[in-house]
Amino acid sequence: MKRLTSLLLLLVPASLLLAQEQVRVWKEGDSKRFTTSEILFSEDGTVLSVGDSTYNYAEVDSITVVHTVTVTFSDDTASVDLGHAKDVTYEVDGAHVNIISTNTKSELEFVLQGASSQGSLTYDGPLKCKFYLNGLNLTSDSGAAIDIQCGKRVDLILVDGTENVLVDAAGGTQKAALYCKGHLEVSGSGSLTVTGNTKHAIATKEYLELKKSTGTITINKAVSDAMHIGQYFQMNGGTLNISGQAGDGIQVEILTLDDDVTPNPDKENNGMMFIKGGSITITAACDDTKGIKAPSDMTVTGGTFNITASGAGSRGIQVTGNLTINENDNTTMMLIRAMGDIYEDPITEDDVRCMGIRIKGNFYISAGTVRVSNTGSGAYGIKIDGTYTKTGTAVVSASIKTS
């Protein structure tokens, strides 16, 4: 075996090789990151060994240089290692880190690690990027814990085997403890616990997607919604535990044009929810709140739901459009308890009943199990304004009220 110097020289500029220690090996649109010291090439030139992975050279699409910035928090201080990332500047004030990228050619990766009870990370850049949470325990005493001002796709990776904690400061103007201006895609089997002391715990201006590999995300407090998402929410896997929120558990907003009324036609799946797998546990304990709130259609093709609506006038799930349930991707099991009493709206003085599922459109279910109990005073199991269609192997155990 010999070092893969000759192959790397063919794929990336020599100047970058002298400056970088990490590369990505790409195959069929997917990639893994390695240090150059892990790369070995067979004598006959047919096999590439990288760490614990082995590739046939003909199957490798490319090898690209990784620009990695490492931020390490330690009590009331923080350090930033830019590596050799170009067009990136930063400022550090105690343990508050502000990073700005003007790089319009190379995607950046950030590794965030360490612990601070008075720190934060703010990032502003023009290209999609990746953030690895590598055992990060970050409590901000001023603003958000992490504020990503990037309007592109942002990958948030919970490094395998790590526990990560984010807490924002109380009484601030930030939107969330973890905020992303663009669309956030979460992966990695580590865990993340988030506390929102000013408004939301997690908020995104555009869509939020939880990949199949996502570990456990726990939200134990939010002054407003636990998760507030623009455009749409998609969950392919992972475990999501939500409690202690004063607003809704998971709320999606429809992105509008400049008139703040007309839905933006250029935003796909605007206002929708897609649950394809994973586990969701939500307690909606405050009055007139929802465990899950979808302003358009909600489609469930797999996943386990355990939702308790215990606040007066609360709802386990509220869908303004149509609710469709099947098992096209995974087994679907939905357990919902409507335990709250009647809530009197202080403005309209109307009575708002607690409900397990509230559907203003149609309800279609062809597979899966839905069990809804209503033990609160005046509570409904499922209320549907549109039509109710049950076919196939679906099991529905609930009191159902249709208009």
Side-chain angles (χ1 to χ4, degrees):
M1 303 288 283
K2 63 182 180 180
R3 298 296 179 191
L4 188 55
T5 304
S6 59
L7 178 58
L8 288 172
L9 287 172
L10 293 174
L11 295 170
V12 297
S15 60
L16 288 179
L17 283 177
L18 295 175
Q20 300 295 330
E21 296 181 349
Q22 293 186 321
V23 295
R24 278 194 175 276
V25 178
W26 292 86
K27 176 184 175 183
E28 297 178 351
D30 196 10
S31 70
K32 290 186 178 181
R33 185 175 64 172
F34 305 97
T35 62
T36 53
S37 62
E38 294 178 277
I39 301 177
L40 298 172
F41 197 52
S42 66
E43 292 292 344
D44 62 4
T46 61
V47 178
L48 169 65
S49 296
V50 192
D52 296 330
S53 300
T54 300
Y55 302 87
N56 291 323
Y57 170 60
E59 297 176 344
V60 175
D61 299 327
S62 64
I63 298 177
T64 57
V65 172
V66 175
H67 298 272
T68 302
V69 176
T70 302
V71 182
T72 303
F73 295 89
S74 180
D75 298 327
D76 59 351
T77 63
S79 62
V80 179
D81 182 356
L82 292 180
H84 298 277
K86 294 184 177 181
D87 301 319
V88 179
T89 60
Y90 69 91
E91 295 179 351
V92 177
D93 181 7
H96 295 281
V97 179
N98 182 27
I99 299 177
I100 298 176
S101 170
T102 57
N103 191 323
T104 59
K105 296 181 179 180
S106 302
E107 297 176 17
L108 295 173
E109 297 190 357
F110 298 85
V111 177
L112 309 181
Q113 58 193 16
S116 175
S117 60
Q118 45 194 315
S120 66
L121 184 285
T122 301
Y123 172 73
D124 194 337
L127 296 180
K128 59 184 180 179
C129 51
K130 298 177 185 290
F131 286 83
Y132 291 83
L133 302 192
N134 185 34
L136 178 68
N137 192 325
L138 190 59
T139 297
S140 176
D141 59 350
S142 177
I146 296 180
D147 185 349
I148 304 173
Q149 292 293 318
C150 174
K152 304 297 183 179
R153 189 189 79 196
V154 176
D155 291 323
L156 186 74
I157 299 97
L158 309 178
V159 175
D160 296 353
T162 65
E163 296 180 2
N164 303 278
V165 178
L166 300 176
V167 182
D168 69 346
T173 59
Q174 70 273 13
K175 295 180 175 67
L178 169 59
Y179 177 74
C180 179
K181 183 181 178 181
H183 32 275
L184 191 66
E185 297 187 4
V186 184
S187 62
S189 64
S191 69
L192 174 63
T193 300
V194 186
T195 300
N197 284 317
T198 285
K199 197 172 183 181
H200 310 304
I202 299 174
T204 61
K205 187 174 181 180
E206 297 184 331
Y207 72 76
L208 171 63
E209 180 177 349
L210 304 185
K211 301 287 191 177
K212 287 183 179 180
S213 66
T214 303
T216 299
I217 298 176
T218 300
I219 297 174
N220 52 30
K221 177 185 177 182
V223 171
S224 186
D225 303 330
M227 300 177 71
H228 192 91
I229 303 156
Q231 192 174 352
Y232 69 86
F233 174 64
Q234 180 167 319
M235 183 171 179
N236 300 325
T239 299
L240 187 56
N241 300 316
I242 296 176
S243 63
Q245 73 280 2
D248 300 325
I250 306 172
Q251 180 178 343
V252 172
E253 291 283 355
I254 295 177
L255 297 184
T256 62
L257 299 176
D258 292 340
D259 61 6
D260 293 330
V261 175
T262 307
N264 189 331
D266 295 329
K267 299 297 182 180
E268 64 176 353
N269 303 324
N270 206 353
M272 297 184 181
M273 282 195 181
F274 304 91
I275 312 297
K276 299 183 177 183
S279 173
I280 299 176
T281 300
I282 301 175
T283 299
C286 289
D287 295 347
D288 196 27
T289 60
K290 292 82 181 172
I292 295 176
K293 183 179 179 180
S296 184
D297 295 342
M298 178 175 176
T299 301
V300 178
T301 57
T304 300
F305 297 72
N306 191 337
I307 302 176
T308 300
S310 57
S314 61
R315 282 89 190 273
I317 297 175
Q318 179 164 303
V319 182
T320 301
N322 301 323
L323 174 60
T324 301
I325 298 177
N326 56 53
E327 294 185 322
N328 288 355
D329 291 296
N330 288 288
T331 300
T332 298
M333 173 61 73
M334 192 174 286
L335 303 176
I336 302 177
R337 291 166 291 279
M339 301 171 61
D341 295 330
I342 295 175
Y343 172 77
E344 183 177 319
D345 189 298
I347 298 176
T348 65
E349 297 185 352
D350 291 337
D351 287 342
V352 179
R353 296 178 181 273
C354 178
M355 301 182 195
I357 302 177
R358 175 72 171 97
I359 307 166
K360 296 186 178 181
N362 302 319
F363 182 23
Y364 307 103
I365 179 169
S366 58
T369 299
V370 176
R371 301 186 187 279
V372 183
S373 63
N374 51 301
T375 58
S377 176
Y380 291 151
I382 302 175
K383 184 177 180 182
I384 309 165
D385 287 354
T387 60
Y388 170 44
T389 304
K390 183 172 78 73
T391 60
T393 60
V395 175
V396 179
S397 176
S399 61
I400 300 175
K401 180 178 176 61
T402 58
S403 299

